[in-house]
């Protein structure tokens, strides 16, 4: 599924719409440890986390993540939002726990 199709489902709140809406989303990856996400998140993945800081944005760029979903009503801080806009990173928000958010995203990706 393309990122723009994922966004069109309007399941999650859009905090920042990135640049590459034609990116193919591959799978869901749930993790709050930035070092693990940087080394293990598949390219094009939907990364579910509660880490809403500038380091999460940097990791998403380095790992070529498709988009970030902040679970449990986590927010981006101002610096992270500015960096997401600058880097073209799509960041979404969910009020659900991480597992539930990941399951919702998984079901969207897999029909």
């Amino acid at each position: 599924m393309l990122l723009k199709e994922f966004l069109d489902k309007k399941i999650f709140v859009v905090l920042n719409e990135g640049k590459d809406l034609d990116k193919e989303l591959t799978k869901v990856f749930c993790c709050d440890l930035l070092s693990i996400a940087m080394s293990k998140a598949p390219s094009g993945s939907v990364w579910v986390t509660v880490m809403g800081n500038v380091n999460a944005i940097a990791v998403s760029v380095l790992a070529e993540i498709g988009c970030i979903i902040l679970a449990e009503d986590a927010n981006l801080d101002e610096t992270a939002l500015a960096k997401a806009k600058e880097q073209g990173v799509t960041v979404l928000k969910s009020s659900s726990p991480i597992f539930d958010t990941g399951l919702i995203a998984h079901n969207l990706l897999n029909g």
Side-chain angles (χ1 to χ4, degrees):
M1 173 180 287
L2 299 179
L3 177 54
K4 66 182 171 187
E5 296 169 328
F6 191 79
L7 294 177
D8 285 345
K9 302 289 185 184
K10 300 186 187 298
I11 302 296
F12 304 108
V13 175
V14 177
L15 299 179
N16 187 65
E17 186 175 299
K19 297 176 186 169
D20 191 4
L21 298 181
D22 288 326
K23 185 167 192 109
E24 184 73 31
L25 299 178
T26 57
K27 64 187 326 186
V28 177
F29 182 79
C30 299
C31 182
D32 287 328
L33 290 172
L34 298 176
S35 59
I36 299 293
M38 188 166 43
S39 64
K40 300 211 182 256
S43 177
S45 62
V46 175
W47 180 21
V48 182
T49 184
V50 296
M51 302 297 294
N53 60 39
V54 70
N55 293 329
I57 303 302
V59 167
S60 74
V61 171
L62 287 171
E64 299 179 346
I65 288 170
C67 69
I68 299 171
I69 303 176
L70 296 175
E72 302 188 27
D73 276 329
N75 279 308
L76 283 175
D77 62 40
E78 290 180 28
T79 305
L81 180 57
K83 187 55 86 173
K85 289 179 179 182
E86 177 187 315
Q87 296 290 319
V89 175
T90 297
V91 183
L92 309 173
K93 182 177 178 175
S94 169
S95 59
S96 298
I98 290 174
F99 177 83
D100 296 339
T101 299
L103 184 59
I104 292 165
H106 172 81
N107 288 337
L108 284 174
L109 289 180
N110 295 290

